[in-house]
Amino acid sequence: MTATVSNFHYGAVTPVAAYLMACLGAALGLRCTTRSLRRPHRRAGWLALGAVSIGCGIWTMHFIAMIGFSVQGALVTYDPTKTLLSLAVAIAVVAIGVFLVGYRGGSPVNLGVAGTVTGIGVAAMHYLGMAAIHTNGGLDYAVGTVALSVAIAVAAATAALWAAVSIHKLWASMGASLVMGVAVTGMHYTGMAAVSVHLTGESAVSQSSTALLSFLLAMLAGPLTVLLIAGAIVMFDPDMMLGDDEWDRPAYTPNGAGADLPVQQAVQQAAGPSQPYRY
């Protein structure tokens, strides 16, 4: 028997919250990548933080959206191991793409490779998360819709990596993160449109239970905490607010030593040769 499946059991709350999480992760990732390009001696650390931010944002988006997933006539539960494994996959594949463009640049070939690997990995995270579902039935997928969701994931990943190395202005990167949120969330719901559930037995439960909500919220607590910490790091780092017009300015050195050297040289040139005081 084919069950009635809903992805919007709680209305617009879950898709809107999922979209905002995707945007947050993308925004933090873009700013971290910008910081890594300005400070090469700390590039690995900033790229890692960016990868974790984007990965946690995508994974959090997925499982917030899954709170709204329900199967009429069936109780839905999740395998904790596969759920956590999907988080590790999300972070790992994003890290591959971010480090490729962070160290090898944004050439078309490099972007194509990094975007393809990352996009397929994000799709793998999604379907691994779906494989964690336990219900009294089987999940089937429409092959064509699955292929479309993978294509969207690859396109979204490639665009995100391009933006990471090409967009430096704060407001431009915020706009890019909003677009990326649409792409990533669209990939999720495209993948969910491929799902059909065939029940093999009857269940008295026809909607998400309190236990399921508690489990998903507990799973979300860790990634949400990571995003909050990453957000605090980004907000309190001075270079995060730099735009393209400031991109080529020399970085400030510790204790301000040499920070204003170009300004001092300009003042001296305008004033002409210094003359000794006469008494």
Side-chain angles (χ1 to χ4, degrees):
M1 179 180 68
T2 302
T4 300
V5 176
S6 173
N7 289 297
F8 308 100
H9 183 74
Y10 296 100
V13 174
T14 49
V16 170
Y19 169 72
L20 292 176
M21 288 299 102
C23 291
L24 176 60
L28 292 174
L30 289 178
R31 299 315 295 167
C32 287
T33 306
T34 296
R35 182 65 163 89
S36 75
L37 297 177
R38 181 168 168 79
R39 298 292 189 182
H41 61 291
R42 294 181 180 176
R43 179 168 297 174
W46 282 106
L47 290 176
L49 182 61
V52 170
S53 298
I54 296 174
C56 285
I58 294 172
W59 187 89
T60 303
M61 174 278 300
H62 172 83
F63 278 98
I64 286 180
M66 291 307 295
I67 291 176
F69 176 74
S70 64
V71 180
Q72 185 175 4
L75 174 64
V76 176
T77 60
Y78 288 85
D79 182 319
T81 301
K82 290 181 179 178
T83 300
L84 293 175
L85 180 59
S86 68
L87 173 60
V89 168
I91 294 174
V93 296
V94 171
I96 292 172
V98 167
F99 273 81
L100 277 174
V101 298
Y103 279 98
R104 301 186 63 180
S107 68
V109 173
N110 195 49
L111 274 176
V113 172
T116 300
V117 171
T118 303
I120 292 175
V122 169
M125 177 278 299
H126 172 85
Y127 290 105
L128 180 58
M130 294 300 295
I133 292 177
H134 289 166
T135 187
N136 57 318
L139 273 64
D140 294 325
Y141 295 91
V143 176
T145 310
V146 169
L148 178 60
S149 71
V150 174
I152 294 173
V154 171
T158 304
L161 294 173
W162 172 83
V165 295
S166 303
I167 297 177
H168 304 313
K169 285 187 177 181
L170 175 63
W171 293 112
S173 65
M174 294 300 101
S177 70
L178 295 178
V179 175
M180 293 314 306
V182 172
V184 173
T185 308
M187 174 268 163
H188 171 83
Y189 284 106
T190 300
M192 295 307 297
V195 176
S196 59
V197 179
H198 297 275
L199 299 181
T200 57
E202 293 296 331
S203 171
V205 180
S206 61
Q207 62 183 25
S208 299
S209 66
T210 302
L212 174 61
L213 288 174
S214 299
F215 169 78
L216 289 176
L217 291 174
M219 289 287 105
L220 290 168
L224 285 173
T225 301
V226 171
L227 288 173
L228 288 175
I229 294 172
I233 294 172
V234 167
M235 287 178 63
F236 287 102
D237 188 86
D239 281 353
M240 284 297 103
M241 304 301 290
L242 288 177
D244 285 337
D245 55 339
E246 298 173 286
W247 186 253
D248 294 327
R249 293 184 184 180
Y252 291 112
T253 54
N255 301 320
D260 297 324
L261 185 57
V263 176
Q264 294 169 359
Q265 291 174 343
V267 172
Q268 290 174 359
Q269 290 174 359
S274 60
Q275 299 293 330
Y277 288 106
R278 297 183 182 277
Y279 295 96

